[in-house]
Protein backbone atom coordinates (compact mmCIF):
# COMPACT_ATOMS: atom_id res chain seq x y z
CA UNK A 1 0.00 0.00 0.00
CA UNK A 2 1.35 3.38 -1.04
CA UNK A 3 1.87 5.85 1.77
CA UNK A 4 0.34 9.27 1.09
CA UNK A 5 2.16 12.37 2.21
CA UNK A 6 -0.45 14.82 3.53
CA UNK A 7 1.61 17.75 2.25
CA UNK A 8 1.68 16.34 -1.26
CA UNK A 9 -0.29 18.55 -3.68
CA UNK A 10 -3.12 16.17 -4.56
CA UNK A 11 -6.09 18.48 -5.14
CA UNK A 12 -4.04 21.62 -5.40
CA UNK A 13 -4.48 24.12 -8.21
CA UNK A 14 -4.83 22.78 -11.72
CA UNK A 15 -5.35 25.74 -14.04
CA UNK A 16 -7.34 23.82 -16.67
CA UNK A 17 -9.61 22.22 -14.07
CA UNK A 18 -10.15 25.56 -12.33
CA UNK A 19 -10.99 27.29 -15.62
CA UNK A 20 -13.42 24.45 -16.46
CA UNK A 21 -15.05 24.71 -13.02
CA UNK A 22 -15.36 28.49 -13.24
CA UNK A 23 -16.69 28.32 -16.79
CA UNK A 24 -19.43 25.99 -15.56
CA UNK A 25 -20.11 28.49 -12.76
CA UNK A 26 -20.02 31.51 -15.09
CA UNK A 27 -23.75 32.25 -14.92
CA UNK A 28 -24.00 32.03 -11.14
CA UNK A 29 -20.83 34.04 -10.56
CA UNK A 30 -21.98 36.81 -12.88
CA UNK A 31 -25.48 36.77 -11.33
CA UNK A 32 -23.89 37.04 -7.90
CA UNK A 33 -21.78 39.96 -9.09
CA UNK A 34 -24.77 41.70 -10.69
CA UNK A 35 -26.99 41.29 -7.63
CA UNK A 36 -24.29 42.95 -5.54
CA UNK A 37 -23.53 45.83 -7.88
CA UNK A 38 -26.85 46.35 -9.75
CA UNK A 39 -24.78 47.54 -12.71
CA UNK A 40 -23.74 45.46 -15.75
CA UNK A 41 -20.37 47.16 -16.28
CA UNK A 42 -19.33 47.03 -12.64
CA UNK A 43 -20.63 43.46 -12.32
CA UNK A 44 -18.52 42.43 -15.29
CA UNK A 45 -15.47 44.16 -13.83
CA UNK A 46 -15.91 42.39 -10.46
CA UNK A 47 -16.57 39.07 -12.21
CA UNK A 48 -13.43 39.32 -14.37
CA UNK A 49 -11.31 40.34 -11.36
CA UNK A 50 -12.68 37.43 -9.33
CA UNK A 51 -11.94 34.90 -12.03
CA UNK A 52 -8.56 36.41 -12.78
CA UNK A 53 -7.39 36.22 -9.18
CA UNK A 54 -8.68 32.68 -8.86
CA UNK A 55 -6.91 31.48 -12.02
CA UNK A 56 -3.69 33.31 -11.12
CA UNK A 57 -3.59 31.83 -7.61
CA UNK A 58 -1.06 29.05 -7.49
CA UNK A 59 -2.08 27.47 -4.22
CA UNK A 60 -5.86 27.33 -4.47
CA UNK A 61 -7.35 23.96 -3.63
CA UNK A 62 -9.83 22.89 -6.29
CA UNK A 63 -12.60 22.54 -3.71
CA UNK A 64 -12.10 26.17 -2.76
CA UNK A 65 -11.96 27.70 -6.26
CA UNK A 66 -15.67 28.54 -6.36
CA UNK A 67 -15.71 30.00 -2.84
CA UNK A 68 -12.56 31.96 -3.50
CA UNK A 69 -13.96 33.41 -6.74
CA UNK A 70 -17.16 34.44 -4.93
CA UNK A 71 -15.21 36.03 -2.07
CA UNK A 72 -12.98 37.90 -4.52
CA UNK A 73 -16.00 39.15 -6.48
CA UNK A 74 -17.59 40.27 -3.20
CA UNK A 75 -14.46 42.15 -2.07
CA UNK A 76 -14.12 43.90 -5.44
CA UNK A 77 -17.80 44.86 -5.39
CA UNK A 78 -17.48 46.28 -1.87
CA UNK A 79 -14.36 48.22 -2.87
CA UNK A 80 -16.08 49.72 -5.93
CA UNK A 81 -19.60 50.36 -4.58
CA UNK A 82 -18.59 51.17 -0.98
CA UNK A 83 -22.02 50.36 0.50
CA UNK A 84 -22.63 52.16 3.78
CA UNK A 85 -25.51 51.91 6.23
CA UNK A 86 -28.04 54.69 6.55
CA UNK A 87 -27.57 55.82 10.11
CA UNK A 88 -30.78 55.51 12.03
CA UNK A 89 -31.56 54.48 15.54
CA UNK A 90 -35.10 53.44 14.81
CA UNK A 91 -36.17 50.88 12.24
CA UNK A 92 -39.72 52.22 12.19
CA UNK A 93 -38.55 55.69 11.08
CA UNK A 94 -37.28 54.37 7.75
CA UNK A 95 -39.68 54.44 4.84
CA UNK A 96 -40.39 51.15 3.12
CA UNK A 97 -41.14 52.91 -0.16
CA UNK A 98 -37.55 52.44 -1.39
CA UNK A 99 -38.29 49.70 -3.90
CA UNK A 100 -38.65 51.15 -7.38
CA UNK A 101 -41.95 50.75 -9.22
CA UNK A 102 -40.48 48.21 -11.62
CA UNK A 103 -39.48 46.11 -8.60
CA UNK A 104 -43.09 45.80 -7.50
CA UNK A 105 -43.74 43.11 -10.12
CA UNK A 106 -40.41 41.30 -10.15
CA UNK A 107 -38.42 40.08 -7.16
CA UNK A 108 -35.12 40.18 -9.07
CA UNK A 109 -35.72 43.82 -10.03
CA UNK A 110 -36.76 44.56 -6.45
CA UNK A 111 -33.44 43.24 -5.14
CA UNK A 112 -31.55 45.40 -7.63
CA UNK A 113 -33.68 48.39 -6.56
CA UNK A 114 -32.68 48.09 -2.90
CA UNK A 115 -30.21 50.63 -1.56
CA UNK A 116 -26.62 49.47 -2.04
CA UNK A 117 -26.15 48.60 1.63
CA UNK A 118 -29.45 46.73 1.95
CA UNK A 119 -28.71 44.86 -1.29
CA UNK A 120 -25.24 43.80 -0.14
CA UNK A 121 -26.55 42.68 3.25
CA UNK A 122 -29.44 40.78 1.65
CA UNK A 123 -27.21 39.01 -0.88
CA UNK A 124 -24.49 38.25 1.67
CA UNK A 125 -26.59 37.23 4.67
CA UNK A 126 -29.75 35.79 3.12
CA UNK A 127 -28.70 34.43 -0.26
CA UNK A 128 -25.09 33.52 0.55
CA UNK A 129 -25.87 32.66 4.20
CA UNK A 130 -22.89 34.53 5.64
CA UNK A 131 -22.95 35.27 9.34
CA UNK A 132 -23.71 38.73 10.69
CA UNK A 133 -20.14 38.83 12.00
CA UNK A 134 -18.70 38.16 8.51
CA UNK A 135 -21.04 40.70 6.92
CA UNK A 136 -20.17 43.40 9.46
CA UNK A 137 -16.45 42.71 9.10
CA UNK A 138 -16.50 42.83 5.28
CA UNK A 139 -18.83 45.84 5.13
CA UNK A 140 -17.02 47.61 8.02
CA UNK A 141 -20.13 48.29 10.02
CA UNK A 142 -21.80 47.04 13.18
CA UNK A 143 -23.76 43.82 13.45
CA UNK A 144 -26.75 45.97 14.34
CA UNK A 145 -26.42 47.78 11.00
CA UNK A 146 -26.43 44.39 9.26
CA UNK A 147 -29.49 43.19 11.17
CA UNK A 148 -31.44 46.39 10.45
CA UNK A 149 -30.52 46.38 6.75
CA UNK A 150 -31.52 42.71 6.40
CA UNK A 151 -34.86 43.31 8.10
CA UNK A 152 -35.54 46.34 5.88
CA UNK A 153 -34.58 44.45 2.73
CA UNK A 154 -36.84 41.54 3.64
CA UNK A 155 -39.73 43.89 4.42
CA UNK A 156 -39.26 45.70 1.12
CA UNK A 157 -39.06 42.43 -0.81
CA UNK A 158 -42.18 41.01 0.80
CA UNK A 159 -44.00 44.09 -0.51
CA UNK A 160 -43.36 43.02 -4.13
CA UNK A 161 -46.02 41.13 -6.09
CA UNK A 162 -43.78 38.03 -6.10
CA UNK A 163 -42.92 38.46 -2.43
CA UNK A 164 -39.79 36.90 -1.01
CA UNK A 165 -40.30 33.19 -0.49
CA UNK A 166 -36.95 31.61 0.32
CA UNK A 167 -38.01 28.11 -0.73
CA UNK A 168 -39.33 29.33 -4.08
CA UNK A 169 -36.17 31.32 -4.71
CA UNK A 170 -34.03 28.39 -3.68
CA UNK A 171 -35.77 26.20 -6.23
CA UNK A 172 -35.28 28.80 -8.99
CA UNK A 173 -31.82 30.22 -8.30
CA UNK A 174 -29.96 28.13 -5.77
CA UNK A 175 -28.24 24.85 -5.31
CA UNK A 176 -29.09 22.72 -2.27
CA UNK A 177 -26.32 24.36 -0.23
CA UNK A 178 -28.04 27.73 -0.45
CA UNK A 179 -25.53 29.41 -2.75
CA UNK A 180 -26.55 30.92 -6.04
CA UNK A 181 -26.35 28.24 -8.71
Amino acid sequence: MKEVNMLEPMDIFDERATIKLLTEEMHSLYLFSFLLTADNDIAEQCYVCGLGECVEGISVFMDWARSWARRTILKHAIRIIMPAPEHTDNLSSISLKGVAALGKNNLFAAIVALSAFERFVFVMSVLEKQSDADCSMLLRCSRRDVMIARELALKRLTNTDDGYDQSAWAARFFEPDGLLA
Side-chain angles (χ1 to χ4, degrees):
M1 186 165 156
K2 182 181 175 186
E3 186 176 319
V4 176
N5 181 349
M6 293 307 287
L7 298 177
E8 198 173 291
M10 292 167 42
D11 290 331
I12 297 184
F13 185 78
D14 174 352
E15 187 173 339
R16 287 179 310 226
T18 300
I19 290 171
K20 180 179 183 246
L21 171 75
L22 295 176
T23 300
E24 292 168 357
E25 299 289 330
M26 187 176 354
H27 176 71
S28 70
L29 291 172
Y30 180 79
L31 177 60
F32 173 62
S33 185
F34 182 77
L35 282 175
L36 289 169
T37 63
D39 180 281
N40 284 317
D41 293 333
I42 296 173
E44 185 176 322
Q45 182 182 356
C46 292
Y47 169 78
V48 168
C49 288
L51 293 185
E53 284 188 30
C54 194
V55 170
E56 288 174 10
I58 56 172
S59 63
V60 177
F61 285 88
M62 287 303 301
D63 294 344
W64 296 350
R66 180 176 186 242
S67 297
W68 192 27
R70 295 179 90 73
R71 185 74 161 202
T72 303
I73 288 169
L74 175 62
K75 286 181 177 182
H76 280 283
I78 290 170
R79 199 170 316 138
I80 292 169
I81 302 295
M82 294 189 296
E86 297 173 15
H87 291 289
T88 182
D89 294 330
N90 187 351
L91 187 62
S92 63
S93 69
I94 299 175
S95 169
L96 291 179
K97 297 177 184 175
V99 175
L102 71 113
K104 287 236 176 245
N105 298 319
N106 180 309
L107 189 55
F108 184 83
I111 292 171
V112 172
L114 292 170
S115 74
F117 188 72
E118 288 174 17
R119 190 176 58 249
F120 270 78
V121 169
F122 177 79
V123 171
M124 292 169 69
S125 69
V126 177
L127 301 183
E128 292 288 317
K129 300 187 184 300
Q130 291 187 21
S131 70
D132 288 351
D134 285 345
C135 291
S136 66
M137 179 193 67
L138 287 165
L139 294 169
R140 296 180 182 185
C141 64
S142 71
R143 286 185 187 182
R144 185 174 188 278
D145 289 334
V146 169
M147 292 184 298
I148 289 171
R150 182 179 46 250
E151 187 171 336
L152 283 170
L154 289 169
K155 283 182 180 182
R156 291 184 209 279
L157 295 174
T158 56
N159 288 334
T160 64
D161 290 344
D162 287 349
Y164 174 70
D165 175 3
Q166 188 169 3
S167 60
W169 259 66
R172 286 178 20 202
F173 293 102
F174 306 104
E175 292 183 336
D177 64 0
L179 299 173
L180 286 170

